Amino acid sequence: MGQRGEELAVKYLKDKGFQILDRNWSFQKKELDIIAVEGEQLVVVEVKSRSTPEFEHPLDAIDLRKIRNIVHATQAYIDLRDIDLEVRFDVVAVLWKKREEYSIKHIREAFIAPVD
C-alpha cells in the first residue's frame, strides 16, 4: 500500500507540473519520500497512505521528531547537491477507499522547519 501510494503521489505531482528529482532518498537512516521542484522551490514531499481515515489521519503520523528528521535529511540533500532554492515541505495523503479506488489530498506547506 505504501509503495503504491508513493507511485500515485509521483504521478499526481508530475501531472501538476512538478519535476521529480529523487525518490526514497536516504541520509543517516532518514528518508525523504519525494524530492521535487515546482517553479523556484525545492519541494520535499512526505507521502502517507492509509486504508481508512478512522484509524489515523495521515497528517497525524507526522510528529515533531519526524519533522526534524525530514528537515535534517533535506539540509544534507541541499548541501550535497549544492541547491540554492527556497524549500517547502508538503504532504500528499493517499486514502484508499477500495482496492483501486482512492483519493489524494495535497497539503502544501504542511509544516515549517522548527527552530532549534
Side-chain angles (χ1 to χ4, degrees):
M1 183 172 63
Q3 184 178 350
R4 178 76 174 122
E6 282 190 23
E7 290 169 7
L8 291 169
V10 165
K11 181 184 179 324
Y12 170 87
L13 293 169
K14 283 182 177 179
D15 289 349
K16 297 291 181 185
F18 286 68
Q19 176 191 359
I20 307 300
L21 300 179
D22 272 301
R23 290 179 61 184
N24 302 319
W25 189 83
S26 295
F27 176 77
Q28 296 181 351
K29 298 184 181 180
K30 298 167 181 81
E31 183 178 291
L32 302 177
D33 292 337
I34 301 170
I35 305 163
V37 171
E38 182 186 40
E40 297 297 316
Q41 290 185 315
L42 181 73
V43 184
V44 177
V45 182
E46 179 70 9
V47 179
K48 293 296 177 189
S49 297
R50 295 292 182 265
S51 59
T52 174
E54 290 82 27
F55 176 71
E56 175 185 51
H57 191 278
L59 284 179
D60 294 336
I62 304 172
D63 59 12
L64 184 57
R65 185 175 141 267
K66 178 72 172 173
I67 290 170
R68 288 179 194 265
N69 286 341
I70 291 169
V71 170
H72 185 242
T74 299
Q75 189 59 56
Y77 187 87
I78 289 168
D79 292 344
L80 287 169
R81 300 288 199 278
D82 196 28
I83 293 173
D84 186 24
L85 295 172
E86 181 181 325
V87 178
R88 187 178 85 215
F89 298 98
D90 290 4
V91 171
V92 171
V94 180
L95 298 173
W96 293 96
K97 297 174 184 178
K98 292 183 181 176
R99 191 165 188 71
E100 290 300 318
E101 289 183 36
Y102 60 89
S103 65
I104 291 181
K105 182 170 184 174
H106 180 191
I107 301 118
R108 293 171 173 272
E109 297 182 57
F111 58 87
I112 58 170
V115 177
D116 289 326

